[in-house]
Amino acid sequence: MWKEISIEGDGVLGLECSGKLSEQDFKTMHAWLDRELARAPKKPALVIFMGTFEGYESAAALWTDMKVDMRHGNDFSRVALVADQKWIEWSTKATDFVMAPELKWFENAAGCAAIAWARPKG
């Protein structure tokens, strides 16, 4: 499942992924992203807390996640991923070269640093 995480101040959206995510989870996440982006005055940053994320329920869920990533690839100024899982750290570094927003991985204990990094400057 996923849920919205309220982050104080403007310009940073937050969400948390836990357990295994389903295709329906990504569809509701996508609808939430569309609503939040439509209300944002300029490109927000996104902080994704993935400390208890376990993966995908199915190949359809993975495919839907990839479609969400492709659709919103240019919609964020920065994306911070917060997780201790090494495979998430590795995938963040691997995809940073092809994604438009700047991506950065943070350990779970560095959630506040992730928000500070993502927050718009100036």
Side-chain angles (χ1 to χ4, degrees):
M1 74 182 277
W2 75 275
K3 66 179 179 181
E4 177 183 359
I5 300 294
S6 179
I7 295 176
E8 190 173 312
D10 293 331
V12 182
L13 301 175
L15 63 91
E16 180 178 17
C17 299
S18 61
K20 290 192 174 193
L21 295 182
S22 69
E23 182 179 10
Q24 186 59 37
D25 288 328
F26 286 104
K27 287 180 179 177
T28 59
M29 182 190 302
H30 189 190
W32 176 77
L33 287 170
D34 282 343
R35 282 192 308 273
E36 294 299 318
L37 289 166
R39 295 192 310 201
K42 58 184 179 180
K43 278 187 181 184
L46 178 64
V47 179
I48 305 172
F49 296 89
M50 304 177 74
T52 58
F53 178 61
E54 297 173 0
Y56 303 94
E57 279 189 1
S58 65
L62 173 61
W63 177 242
T64 304
D65 183 23
M66 292 171 67
K67 290 191 294 189
V68 171
D69 289 349
M70 288 186 285
R71 169 99 183 265
H72 294 292
N74 291 318
D75 292 341
F76 299 100
S77 57
R78 288 180 159 182
V79 176
L81 296 157
V82 181
D84 284 340
Q85 301 94 317
K86 288 296 179 190
W87 68 270
I88 294 174
E89 177 186 10
W90 180 86
S91 64
T92 301
K93 290 176 181 175
T95 56
D96 186 34
F97 297 106
V98 295
M99 296 292 289
E102 191 176 356
L103 297 177
K104 190 168 183 177
W105 172 84
F106 295 84
E107 293 180 343
N108 281 337
C112 291
I115 293 169
W117 174 81
R119 192 172 301 285
K121 311 300 183 250

